[in-house]
């Protein structure tokens, strides 16, 4: 050790800094551990602070990098609420913020059910499914994107069974894209 200290006088200080740390007992570790509940409330506090700073305005997607993260978290809470997975204490806390549920266009299930009908009408008029080529067919972009998303979810096993059956009934051959 003496030889290493003569070569590098800061060596011992570095060793002590790395190796001489307080020993945490289980209670202290649990106190500072991050868990999902603690992280959720931390995000909630960030959203609440943001809204106080902005006079009650919800975080916007294009406002800043920080606001975009808060916006995405709030969107995730909306999806959790729609799926019925948000606990009552969290719903009450979010309700205390104000109108957090956003401006949705009606019932999400009814909105979803209207989209296959739009694709069916397109298919009846054009004789083909919508294709995502914005340069040649910009009017088809929204329908093609929605159909592609349903195909992806079906392929990955994430599409609800009732929706899959509905698409099969309304749009025969929808699951296999044609080139």
């Amino acid at each position: 050790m003496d030889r290493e200290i003569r070569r590098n006088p800061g060596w011992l200080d570095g060793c002590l800094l790395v190796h001489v740390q307080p020993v945490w007992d289980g209670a202290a570790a649990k106190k500072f551990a991050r868990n999902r509940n603690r992280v959720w409330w931390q995000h909630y506090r960030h959203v609440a602070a943001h809204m106080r700073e902005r006079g009650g305005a919800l975080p916007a997607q294009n406002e800043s990098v920080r606001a975009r993260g808060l916006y995405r978290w709030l969107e995730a809470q909306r999806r959790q609420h729609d799926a019925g997975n948000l606990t009552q204490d969290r719903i009450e806390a979010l309700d205390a913020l104000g109108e957090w549920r956003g401006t949705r266009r009606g019932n999400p299930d009814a909105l979803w059910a209207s989209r296959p009908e739009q694709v069916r009408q397109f298919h009846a008029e054009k004789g083909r499914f919508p294709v995502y080529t914005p340069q040649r067919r910009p009017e088809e972009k929204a329908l093609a994107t929605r159909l592609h998303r349903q195909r992806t979810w079906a392929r990955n096993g994430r599409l609800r069974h009732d929706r899959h059956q509905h698409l099969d009934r309304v749009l025969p051959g929808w699951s296999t894209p044609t080139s």
Side-chain angles (χ1 to χ4, degrees):
M1 281 179 49
D2 291 336
R3 189 172 352 135
E4 190 61 37
I5 291 171
R6 279 193 300 272
R7 272 193 251 155
N8 184 358
W11 176 79
L12 184 59
D13 293 335
C15 289
L16 291 175
L17 183 66
V18 170
H19 295 290
V20 181
Q21 297 291 326
V23 176
W24 284 42
D25 62 345
K30 286 182 182 176
K31 180 180 177 185
F32 294 104
R34 285 182 58 140
N35 62 30
R36 289 178 189 227
N37 190 45
R38 187 176 304 221
V39 170
W40 191 94
W41 287 104
Q42 183 180 15
H43 286 299
Y44 172 80
R45 285 191 297 276
H46 289 307
V47 169
H50 182 282
M51 290 179 71
R52 276 193 306 274
E53 292 168 6
R54 302 284 190 256
L58 291 170
Q61 185 169 295
N62 299 324
E63 189 176 334
S64 67
V65 173
R66 179 176 177 263
R68 182 178 303 120
L70 298 175
Y71 171 84
R72 288 180 180 164
W73 181 82
L74 207 49
E75 275 296 309
Q77 302 317 302
R78 290 177 183 134
R79 285 191 303 275
Q80 290 292 319
H81 183 263
D82 289 345
N85 297 331
L86 206 56
T87 60
Q88 189 60 37
D89 62 329
R90 291 179 178 183
I91 292 171
E92 290 170 3
L94 288 166
D95 284 341
L97 293 176
E99 185 52 47
W100 65 276
R101 296 170 199 226
T103 54
R104 302 225 171 181
R105 292 175 281 157
N107 182 354
D109 289 329
L111 184 61
W112 184 91
S114 70
R115 291 177 177 154
E117 181 57 30
Q118 294 170 353
V119 174
R120 189 197 63 74
Q121 290 174 355
F122 179 90
H123 189 270
E125 291 173 11
K126 307 278 186 179
R128 60 180 174 79
F129 287 112
V131 179
Y132 180 71
T133 53
Q135 297 82 11
R136 291 184 24 213
R137 304 180 184 110
E139 69 282 354
E140 295 179 33
K141 179 181 175 182
L143 290 176
T145 303
R146 291 174 188 147
L147 187 59
H148 175 73
R149 185 177 301 131
Q150 302 308 308
R151 287 174 178 150
T152 302
W153 286 351
R155 190 172 49 250
N156 295 336
R158 293 178 47 209
L159 185 63
R160 287 182 4 200
H161 185 67
D162 60 325
R163 290 185 173 182
H164 198 289
Q165 287 180 334
H166 180 75
L167 288 170
D168 286 340
R169 189 172 49 255
V170 174
L171 300 168
W174 70 274
S175 61
T176 55
T178 56
S179 53

